[in-house]
Amino acid sequence: MSQYLSSSPSLIDLNQRSLYISALAIAFNPTFWNTVARREYHHKTLTRLFNGNSQRACYALALTIFSLGLFRDALYERALRSQPTHPFLQNPSIPYIAYALILTGNILVLSSTWALGITGTYLGDYFGILMDAPVTRFPFNVTGAPMYYGSTMSFLGTALLYARPAGVLLTGEVLLVYWLALGFEE
């Protein structure tokens, strides 16, 4: 174990601007969608922008959130590429763990989207678009927040796959901002 600790002078390169840009994007996304959703709930801002059509407004927000997520993921990947690797994370068994995390995370995210539909996934309740009943089947019988935990698992899997300690740190931020977002959403 000591060979792993002494072989890397720096676990995280704090001089890389991409690290901070990625961290900002990670914090921005849930802040943005919760702010917009709360504004929609109280003032119907997007619904009015779409001439009273809450369905279209919700789909527009869904497209925006999805696009911001893709952008955030690209910034995360860029940040990882500019960070040092660590020998401990380059262990031959780590990619198996990484792929298992990514696969499980994506299963949670995709199955929750399937169960909720687009408007259920992308804050339709703030637009007055409600589901007939709460979803209690998989993945909601495993966790109450499968999208958040699945996404976090995918971030961690990617960090491990790239063998970058900075990715593990950013994954901690992902988990923290999702926990905070859950506090606003529940």
Side-chain angles (χ1 to χ4, degrees), residues 6-170:
S6 64
S7 64
S8 180
S10 174
L11 293 175
I12 299 170
D13 184 352
L14 297 175
N15 294 318
Q16 293 298 321
R17 189 169 173 235
S18 60
L19 179 72
Y20 299 103
I21 292 170
S22 178
L24 284 172
I26 288 167
F28 174 79
N29 284 12
T31 303
F32 169 79
W33 76 61
N34 275 297
T35 301
V36 170
R38 287 176 134 2
R39 184 143 184 85
E40 175 62 25
Y41 182 76
H42 292 293
H43 304 289
K44 300 295 178 204
T45 306
L46 290 177
T47 298
R48 281 189 309 205
L49 188 64
F50 283 86
N51 295 320
N53 190 326
S54 60
Q55 189 87 16
R56 283 189 183 161
C58 184
Y59 273 91
L61 179 60
L63 180 62
T64 303
I65 292 170
F66 185 79
S67 299
L68 285 170
L70 291 175
F71 184 61
R72 173 208 58 201
D73 292 351
L75 292 173
Y76 176 72
E77 193 268 339
R78 175 180 275 180
L80 292 186
R81 280 190 281 120
S82 67
Q83 288 293 318
T85 59
H86 192 274
F88 181 77
L89 297 177
Q90 293 173 322
N91 180 307
S93 63
I94 294 292
Y96 296 108
I97 297 167
Y99 284 122
L101 283 165
I102 292 168
L103 177 65
T104 304
N106 279 300
I107 288 170
L108 288 173
V109 169
L110 294 172
S111 62
S112 62
T113 302
W114 180 265
L116 294 172
I118 297 299
T119 57
T121 299
Y122 292 100
L123 305 168
D125 50 336
Y126 287 87
F127 291 84
I129 305 167
L130 304 175
M131 300 190 71
D132 294 333
V135 177
T136 56
R137 65 184 185 275
F138 184 81
F140 293 92
N141 60 355
V142 175
T143 175
M147 295 200 80
Y148 288 165
Y149 293 123
S151 178
T152 302
M153 292 171 78
S154 294
F155 272 90
L156 181 58
T158 303
L160 295 178
L161 197 58
Y162 278 74
R164 302 306 208 270
V168 177
L169 176 68
L170 289 171

